[in-house]
Amino acid sequence: MRISVIGTGYVGLVTGTCLAESGNDVICMDIDAGKIEQLNAGRVPIYEPGLEELIKRNVAHGRLSFTTEMKRAVTRSEIIFIAVGTPPGEDGSADLKYVLAVARDIGKHLNGYKIVVNKSTVPVGTGDKVRAAVASRTRHAFDVVSNPEFLKEGAAVEDFMSPDRVVIGAESAKAVRIMAELYSSFTRKGDRILVMDIRSAEMTKYASNAMLATKISFINELANICGGLGADIDSVRKGMGYDKRIGFEFLFPGVGYGGSCFPKDVKALVQTAKQVGVDARVLKAVEAVNDRQKSVLYEKIVDHFTRTGAKRPAGKQPLAGRTIAVWGLSFKPRTDDMREAPSIVIIKKLLKAGAEVKAHDPVAMDEAYKIFKNGIFLAPDSYEALKGADALALVTEWNEFRTPDFVRMKKLMRTPVVFDGRNILNREELQKFGFRYYGIGRR
Ligand code: NAD
């Protein structure tokens, strides 16, 4: 099929590339000329495992191309995906200005029947707005479909290629048939295409993200309770997880969720609920617990140095003049995305308290530079970040941080203190080597 994808970010680029990989003829369009220029020059603007190779292959086979021209993208396609951002507006509700601008532009260039598919995460009722926006600029027939995306950054290609389910919200049998055909190559292992009305499809995306965010805030709250009581969240987590009704997924305590989706989607759902007179108390608590959780590691650091730094001159802040190494900057492993990353909150607090920060992340260093410029030292590797450090704060659970060389660490650090924001380090081993260890909700 001939497809265009408008918006070439994490979702649009993966969608377009994977659809090309299954044999479709795909154009990815973006208004960001720099991004398109990079892609046309063979450079991939984001880090996503496996993506670069797929892009190269499909471009070489002539199935995938990139443009800034909306007209070209629309006129030669049967299906047009909208995959632009839906950032939070001032009150937390999703800002639809990009989605609706694209919808109007699509309408302007429509030259026959097409399916306009909304892949961006949008509040219930947006399908109607998109339909009106397209219709305001054309007399041609078209259908609007909601096809929310459930991929995870860091495993986006894999998720798109074998999705748990494909949700299609549509009101036209023709559109459903075409969409089901498009997705048939990704759902061969079983019938995982769920057809529903557009509003339910839009809601399904928010419901899923809100549920996952709830699990994270729930386990973080439990971890904080365990920490105070001398119980160990890791044992508790396992004790819970083997119950099939509960399971292990998304029940890892940490420094709070971040990224471009959970924070904004929970906020947006709270606002949508408000519009229909529902006070979304659970969701508000999920958000409040998460905001609080982003400070927990910092508070442990301050607490440690307040207790152990008694010899400091009176009035001197406990972190002033300390060097804190930070491992992990992206909001989760296997991505360079730092949007709403807990690392940003933690580092800003450390800097404000007078500490010097030496940080390392396997792929998010460029993103970190955009945020902190020269305000922190971006170390070329994880051990370099430890040189002269008074403590290490592990913020993102990259695999390469799981089993580091403790002897080497101890030699490099000024004082052997570790704040493990993801509970991934071997506490007993660290203690054997003389480290002071702090985790989240661990004894
Ligand atoms: P992104 O910011 O990475 O990409 C959005 C792209 O849209 C940018 O490249 C931007 O230049 C482009 N754009 C904006 N206005 C445009 C216009 N008028 N014409 C053409 N291009 C335009 O965003 P993303 O992370 O890919 O998210 C896109 C949508 O998908 C959001 O609604 C998000 O909530 C949803 N989503 C994201 C993820 C994720 O993991 N990132 C997962 C599922 C769903």
Side-chain angles (χ1 to χ4, degrees):
M1 291 187 208
R2 277 174 294 122
I3 313 254
S4 58
V5 181
I6 314 301
T8 309
Y10 286 88
V11 167
L13 188 55
V14 171
T15 300
T17 307
C18 292
L19 289 172
E21 175 69 8
S22 67
N24 299 289
D25 184 356
V26 181
I27 292 194
C28 287
M29 183 272 171
D30 205 289
I31 40 163
D32 183 339
K35 211 175 240 188
I36 296 300
E37 209 172 287
Q38 274 190 59
L39 285 159
N40 278 329
R43 291 191 304 275
V44 181
I46 54 167
Y47 174 81
E48 191 57 53
L51 185 61
E52 187 166 349
E53 191 190 323
L54 275 191
I55 291 177
K56 286 198 170 130
R57 183 162 66 230
N58 284 285
V59 167
H61 284 126
R63 289 191 296 257
L64 181 61
S65 62
F66 305 98
T67 185
T68 52
E69 284 173 54
M70 182 67 108
K71 187 174 178 189
R72 200 178 133 224
V74 172
T75 51
R76 40 92 58 212
S77 307
E78 299 152 70
I79 304 176
I80 303 153
F81 282 88
I82 302 177
V84 296
T86 45
E90 258 171 37
D91 64 353
S93 58
D95 186 344
L96 294 177
K97 67 171 180 273
Y98 303 112
V99 169
L100 296 178
V102 167
R104 284 190 293 273
D105 237 17
I106 292 173
K108 193 165 125 197
H109 299 297
L110 228 55
N111 58 340
Y113 172 82
K114 290 168 203 285
I115 301 178
V116 179
V117 184
N118 202 358
K119 210 170 223 336
S120 298
T121 301
V122 291
V124 174
T126 304
D128 296 335
K129 292 183 183 165
V130 166
R131 187 181 298 107
V134 177
S136 70
R137 302 292 165 96
T138 188
R139 286 212 196 121
H140 290 288
F142 65 93
D143 276 314
V144 170
V145 165
S146 165
N147 171 221
E149 182 51 58
F150 299 100
L151 61 76
K152 303 182 285 296
E153 284 176 25
V157 170
E158 206 178 305
D159 286 347
F160 196 96
M161 291 297 196
S162 37
D164 291 337
R165 77 298 206 191
V166 172
V167 169
I168 294 174
E171 267 123 43
S172 127
K174 181 176 174 185
V176 169
R177 188 172 40 74
I178 296 172
M179 291 300 291
E181 196 185 324
L182 179 69
Y183 275 109
S184 59
S185 50
F186 303 104
T187 52
R188 275 184 309 190
K189 279 193 216 142
D191 185 11
R192 289 171 179 182
I193 298 182
L194 306 176
V195 177
M196 55 184 80
D197 62 277
I198 292 179
R199 285 175 176 255
S200 304
E202 289 167 339
M203 186 64 182
T204 301
K205 174 65 192 175
Y206 282 102
S208 303
N209 274 1
M211 181 72 216
L212 296 171
T214 302
K215 288 182 92 173
I216 296 173
S217 279
F218 179 80
I219 198 73
N220 281 336
E221 185 152 279
L222 283 191
N224 296 338
I225 299 171
C226 284
L229 294 175
D232 192 320
I233 191 64
D234 213 36
S235 305
V236 174
R237 181 183 69 77
K238 285 181 192 144
M240 289 164 66
Y242 279 109
D243 185 328
K244 286 194 195 74
R245 296 167 302 176
I246 298 173
F248 288 101
E249 298 274 340
F250 275 75
L251 281 183
F252 292 96
V255 289
Y257 59 75
S260 68
C261 293
F262 290 178
K264 89 169 165 58
D265 292 351
V266 171
K267 280 191 186 74
L269 190 50
V270 168
Q271 290 304 319
T272 306
K274 208 164 141 189
Q275 284 164 21
V276 288
V278 175
D279 182 15
R281 278 176 287 192
V282 172
L283 299 177
K284 282 186 191 165
V286 166
E287 201 188 340
V289 168
N290 193 60
D291 284 347
R292 173 82 197 77
Q293 197 67 18
K294 288 184 176 179
S295 300
V296 163
L297 205 66
Y298 167 76
E299 282 162 15
K300 284 180 193 285
I301 298 172
V302 172
D303 188 51
H304 168 84
F305 286 108
T306 306
R307 282 187 290 105
T308 59
K311 285 185 228 94
R312 315 213 95 208
K316 196 157 184 198
Q317 283 206 55
L319 294 189
R322 309 270 187 200
T323 300
I324 311 294
V326 172
W327 280 4
L329 296 165
S330 55
F331 83 93
K332 66 173 180 179
R334 307 212 301 163
T335 180
D336 60 350
D337 198 343
M338 280 187 69
R339 290 179 282 187
E340 305 256 354
S343 67
I344 299 174
V345 176
I346 295 168
I347 291 174
K348 282 189 175 164
K349 282 181 184 285
L350 290 171
L351 294 176
K352 197 166 169 210
E356 189 191 326
V357 172
K358 296 171 93 178
H360 176 73
D361 186 282
V363 302
M365 302 295 266
D366 289 349
E367 290 304 307
Y369 184 76
K370 285 183 205 159
I371 297 165
F372 296 109
K373 301 286 184 299
N374 294 322
I376 64 174
F377 174 68
L378 290 168
D381 68 61
S382 50
Y383 292 102
E384 190 70 31
L386 295 177
K387 274 189 187 160
D390 294 289
L392 162 66
L394 192 154
V395 177
T396 314
E397 68 277 32
W398 283 89
N399 271 342
E400 64 185 75
F401 299 151
R402 283 175 192 266
T403 49
D405 180 341
F406 295 149
V407 176
R408 192 170 164 201
M409 284 172 69
K410 198 165 173 206
K411 270 192 202 142
L412 291 168
M413 293 175 73
R414 189 150 48 200
T415 45
V417 186
V418 169
F419 296 89
D420 181 0
R422 300 289 179 173
N423 290 357
I424 60 168
L425 294 170
N426 187 328
R427 173 182 46 185
E428 288 74 25
E429 278 295 298
L430 272 167
Q431 284 166 346
K432 243 191 259 166
F433 282 96
F435 282 85
R436 186 77 197 248
Y437 176 91
Y438 296 89
I440 303 285
R442 292 180 114 177
R443 273 167 72 92

